[in-house]
Amino acid sequence: MGEKPKLKAEAINLYYGGTRALGDITAQIPERSITAVIGPSGCGKSSFLRLFNRMNDLIPYARTEGGAFIDELPIYAEGTDVTALRRRVGMVFQKPNVFPMSVFENVVIGTRNHGVKSRAELEMTAERCLRLAALWDEVKDSLKKPGQGLSAGQQQRLCIARALAVNPEVILMDESCSALDPESTMKIEELMLELSREYTIILVTHNMEQAVRVSDMAAFFMIDGDKVGRLVEFSPTADMFYAPKDKRTEDYITGRFG
């Protein structure tokens, strides 16, 4: 785990129209680490994730106050190249969003969109990223077959390969294992641990055991009395799960609510 923060949120408030979804969020995400974001449904976990690649911008009437940074550069500065930002901060969603094209084209579509035309370079990218996603040995003889023909677990790893193909620095994973069987989940967890040597990963999960198994840091969110999502506790995962500082954190991770 890197010592310096890769991402920072400083007194972030997120609004959807007149509704405040996140209130005064401040956190530092270490580089080359896995941070698990936990908390009950509807507390703003996914909204927090989307702060860092400005996906909330796609939601009508969404606006952000406060600061978010990647390598100390302000993410919400006027003139920020959002396309370049999303190349640096990739995202893998809850359900695999495999495109209706071949396995090969699913991986390299982003690379093509960024101007790479060389077939040899595209093939190198596809193999490199499928290997990184621990999928190459399973699909190397099926690269021309439809990506949607893969199993759910394979499709999710294909989406990870596609995210890796544009050389991101950060990977956001929004409950990316919740629709998968235990074997596929284990493969994705092993993959996350391997990738965290080079990438910064933020994982939203409802699976407490998964958070303990894979993450270095943990962030616990919950809704306050004003129905605003707030960061209750942010600490090394072992500290949070075995010596939580806040009674609300303890109540959540022991199953008393949520």
Side-chain angles (χ1 to χ4, degrees), residues 1-241:
M1 183 168 68
E3 292 300 317
K4 66 177 183 177
K6 182 67 178 178
L7 301 167
K8 288 198 297 186
E10 292 185 351
I12 282 272
N13 289 279
L14 173 68
Y15 296 85
Y16 296 128
T19 302
R20 183 157 67 149
L22 291 175
D24 300 314
I25 306 298
T26 295
Q28 296 191 1
I29 309 296
E31 68 175 356
R32 294 191 304 278
S33 67
I34 301 175
T35 297
V37 181
I38 63 172
S41 297
C43 65
K45 300 185 298 296
S46 295
S47 294
F48 173 72
L49 212 62
R50 296 193 299 259
L51 288 171
F52 295 111
N53 65 353
R54 291 187 53 168
M55 289 289 281
N56 292 318
D57 291 11
L58 303 176
I59 300 171
Y61 309 112
R63 62 186 176 89
T64 303
E65 297 174 350
F69 303 85
I70 179 168
D71 291 335
E72 303 294 341
L73 297 172
I75 289 171
Y76 287 86
E78 193 171 340
T80 295
D81 184 336
V82 177
T83 301
L85 171 68
R86 290 178 185 152
R87 202 156 56 228
R88 295 180 72 184
V89 185
M91 191 159 191
V92 180
F93 298 91
Q94 181 174 6
K95 292 183 180 177
N97 58 333
V98 172
F99 300 146
M101 52 183 66
S102 70
V103 170
F104 177 84
E105 291 299 336
N106 261 280
V107 179
V108 302
I109 185 170
T111 312
R112 283 192 191 277
N113 289 342
H114 292 134
V116 175
K117 294 184 171 63
S118 161
R119 180 72 185 184
E121 189 172 343
L122 292 171
E123 288 176 350
M124 284 175 57
T125 296
E127 180 172 348
R128 175 179 65 84
C129 295
L130 287 167
R131 285 189 183 280
L132 281 170
L135 191 57
W136 174 253
D137 289 340
E138 296 170 42
V139 302
K140 63 184 178 183
D141 298 322
S142 311
L143 296 177
K144 294 181 180 179
K145 293 182 179 179
Q148 292 172 325
L150 300 177
S151 70
Q154 289 173 323
Q155 286 188 28
Q156 195 64 294
R157 282 182 284 147
L158 180 61
C159 292
I160 293 170
R162 187 173 66 211
L164 294 171
V166 294
N167 297 313
E169 299 158 42
V170 177
I171 304 170
L172 308 176
M173 304 185 76
D174 194 357
E175 297 192 60
S176 303
C177 297
S178 64
L180 303 181
D181 61 82
E183 183 179 357
S184 297
T185 296
M186 184 178 69
K187 287 182 178 179
I188 299 279
E189 289 180 3
E190 290 171 352
L191 174 57
M192 282 191 279
L193 289 167
E194 188 69 27
L195 292 175
S196 67
R197 297 179 183 179
E198 299 294 332
Y199 301 89
T200 302
I201 297 173
I202 310 180
L203 166 72
V204 169
T205 181
H206 281 285
N207 185 327
M208 297 300 99
E209 292 83 2
Q210 181 176 71
V212 171
R213 283 193 299 265
V214 303
S215 67
D216 304 289
M217 303 292 294
F220 170 56
F221 282 74
M222 67 174 291
I223 296 284
D224 69 6
D226 295 326
K227 298 185 178 179
V228 176
R230 297 196 183 269
L231 178 58
V232 174
E233 191 164 340
F234 184 81
S235 64
T237 302
D239 292 352
M240 181 175 292
F241 278 84

